[in-house]
Amino acid sequence: MQGRRSTYQSLWLQSLALWLLRLYPRRWRGRYEGEVQALLEEHAIRLRTLGDLLTGAFDARLDPAYAQERSVLNMRSPRLTTVSLFCAFALFGIALLPLLAFLLDPEDEQNVPTHYGDLVSAYPLVGLASSAILVVSLLAGVALLATFFVLALGRIPNLRGSSALALLVLAVVAALVVLVPELLPGSDFVRQLMPALLGIVVSIVGIGAALTQSRLGMTQWRALLVTAATTTLAMVLIAIGAVTWLMTVLLHASLLHFTFTYSLSLATGAVSSLALATVIAVLVVSRAFATRWGQHPLRAASQLPPATTG
Amino acid sequence: MRGELSDLGRFSDPSLLILSSLANGAKHGYAMMEDIRAFSGTQLEPGTLYGALARLERRGWVEPLPDQERRRPYRLTALGQAVLREQLASMQRVLATGLGRLATSLG
């Protein structure tokens, strides 16, 4: 009986290992997949093997030699990469809006319960971690906007027009919030919070669009990379916090005397979007650092090594 | 410039084991894994093995031979031999120095 279970287990592990090969880039598979399949048929597959294959797939995805011609992660197309990064930032910002409204609006009784105050009283470390995430997020946001302001006011002619428009949108939204908050929907808290975030999202998209048309120098490119990386770090921290919160709510819904509502479905969608945007940003930024820190993104675009062919 | 093993980052140690395994003749992936386990006690897994092999092949340190029933053997090139010899000589100097100093301090 135990022998049969062991056979099933090894067959299941082998199927999973063979499936993991699909995560590798197409060009890698064209060259090595047959050999690795033959090897896996002889090899005693363990959980460690699966982890190793998964790490290898991630590593191959980051390897410029296997970059496809039209890929979000391909530094041969800096324009597409920049657009992808800013779309990820925008998606993250848009997903954050309803989530913050659910979590932080004390007036809405329909919202998902957070029990944040009780949690911090019981576990002070949670409060510290939340504060750290908030500080990093604020610093990243300030660094991101400050860099773009500096770039916009700099000597890059193509950047001025679009950035000025984006900043104008931000200023109009901020003025609207301050001067006539009653025009905006929702409670007072949401009125103050959501338009400001919306303005930042619109600005980021506008500045991103401007950057794709700009002739970036090395200094500007590196400044963009560093601020994008800082922002991505903040996104990672927020996404981890959001996923942890959602898992806690889902797992302990009965203990919290909480019934599943439309709000929770929306919160699940928002957290999933946060996670997706974060994964895209991490992949793009890590790829950009790995391949383009010391090279001009446009001048060096055609100098990547050719991909290995089978 | 032919580069160094340390340029391969996290694949530098597996690469040294692969080059050493191929030093006495061509081998395919599974044979390399078994050989490496026998002479070093290290169990390389397929993802790491082929991550390192791909990099060694790109640098021209190993080259593939025609495949035999889906199993493709690899062999060391002249450049790969030179890199391996240089790396082992460097390790031997470290080894001799360390052992010599240990013997002096203990004696």
Side-chain angles (χ1 to χ4, degrees):
Chain A
M1 185 72 183
Q2 195 170 3
R4 187 183 293 175
R5 191 195 304 168
S6 170
T7 308
Y8 284 142
Q9 196 173 20
S10 62
L11 280 174
W12 183 78
L13 284 174
Q14 191 173 57
S15 306
L16 196 56
L18 292 172
W19 183 85
L20 282 175
L21 294 180
R22 294 185 190 181
L23 301 179
Y24 282 74
R26 192 176 299 169
R27 299 175 83 173
W28 187 97
R29 292 170 64 188
R31 172 65 184 81
Y32 295 108
E33 189 177 29
E35 294 172 50
V36 180
Q37 280 175 345
L39 189 153
L40 288 171
E41 286 164 13
E42 295 183 272
H43 185 53
I45 297 169
R46 296 167 293 177
L47 286 176
R48 185 180 147 191
T49 314
L50 302 180
D52 184 68
L53 284 170
L54 195 63
T55 315
F58 188 69
D59 185 75
R61 289 270 167 200
L62 292 176
D63 190 340
Y66 299 112
Q68 292 173 10
E69 286 303 313
R70 292 279 300 169
S71 163
V72 165
L73 299 176
N74 185 1
M75 288 295 135
R76 288 175 190 171
S77 174
R79 181 168 297 184
L80 184 63
T81 304
T82 312
V83 169
S84 312
L85 189 59
F86 281 88
C87 282
F89 288 169
L91 174 65
F92 190 89
I94 290 167
L96 201 58
L97 295 178
L99 200 62
L100 285 178
F102 293 148
L103 294 178
L104 302 178
D105 188 353
E107 294 176 13
D108 194 344
E109 292 177 357
Q110 295 300 312
N111 281 342
V112 179
T114 59
H115 297 270
Y116 181 74
D118 300 338
L119 200 64
V120 172
S121 304
Y123 304 101
L125 200 60
V126 173
L128 278 175
S130 307
S131 304
I133 290 174
L134 188 67
V135 168
V136 172
S137 310
L138 284 174
L139 285 177
V142 168
L144 186 72
L145 289 176
T147 302
F148 291 131
F149 288 168
V150 170
L151 290 179
L153 297 172
R155 289 172 296 178
I156 310 167
N158 292 342
L159 195 58
R160 279 187 186 156
S162 307
S163 295
L165 186 64
L167 294 178
L168 185 67
V169 171
L170 183 64
V172 167
V173 173
L176 205 64
V177 172
V178 174
L179 298 175
V180 276
E182 60 275 11
L183 289 179
L184 301 165
S187 65
D188 286 344
F189 184 83
V190 177
R191 274 183 209 149
Q192 289 161 15
L193 185 72
M194 292 184 68
L197 283 169
L198 196 64
I200 291 171
V201 168
V202 171
S203 301
I204 285 176
V205 172
I207 294 166
L211 278 172
T212 63
Q213 299 166 13
S214 301
R215 293 189 295 274
L216 288 176
M218 273 306 291
T219 309
Q220 285 89 349
W221 172 247
R222 285 183 174 171
L224 176 66
L225 272 187
V226 169
T227 46
T230 318
T231 308
T232 305
L233 175 66
M235 287 166 71
V236 169
L237 294 174
I238 292 171
I240 289 172
V243 170
T244 309
W245 166 78
L246 186 66
M247 294 301 290
T248 310
V249 169
L250 290 176
L251 289 175
H252 301 287
S254 57
L255 291 177
L256 296 170
H257 305 293
F258 174 69
T259 52
F260 291 88
T261 62
Y262 173 72
S263 295
L264 186 64
S265 306
L266 210 58
T268 307
V271 172
S272 306
S273 303
L274 281 185
L276 177 68
T278 306
V279 169
I280 293 173
V282 166
L283 287 174
V284 173
V285 167
S286 59
R287 183 62 180 266
F289 262 101
T291 57
R292 286 287 168 265
W293 175 255
Q295 291 176 292
H296 193 284
L298 297 179
R299 272 203 297 275
S302 59
Q303 294 173 8
L304 281 171
T308 310
T309 52
Chain B
M1 189 177 151
R2 70 179 178 213
E4 292 183 5
L5 266 174
S6 56
D7 298 341
L8 298 174
R10 79 177 183 93
F11 289 101
S12 56
D13 289 345
S15 296
L16 179 64
L17 294 171
I18 291 169
L19 293 176
S20 301
S21 174
L22 296 178
N24 68 343
K27 291 181 188 67
H28 56 74
Y30 186 69
M32 265 185 261
M33 283 167 65
E34 289 298 298
D35 182 48
I36 288 167
R37 190 163 61 89
F39 78 76
S40 72
T42 303
Q43 176 66 65
L44 280 190
E45 294 291 344
T48 305
L49 177 75
Y50 274 86
L53 262 182
R55 283 161 173 79
L56 293 175
E57 194 184 336
R58 283 212 294 274
R59 280 168 171 75
W61 297 351
V62 303
E63 62 185 1
L65 297 172
D67 60 339
Q68 305 158 346
E69 297 173 359
R70 296 198 299 151
R71 302 195 303 183
R72 189 189 295 273
Y74 291 82
R75 74 174 168 207
L76 211 54
T77 62
L79 191 58
Q81 280 181 12
V83 170
L84 178 62
R85 190 168 285 121
E86 195 174 287
Q87 185 70 21
L88 292 178
S90 164
M91 291 171 81
Q92 199 166 32
R93 281 195 298 276
V94 174
L95 190 71
T97 306
L99 286 174
R101 289 179 182 176
L102 266 179
T104 311
S105 66
L106 292 173

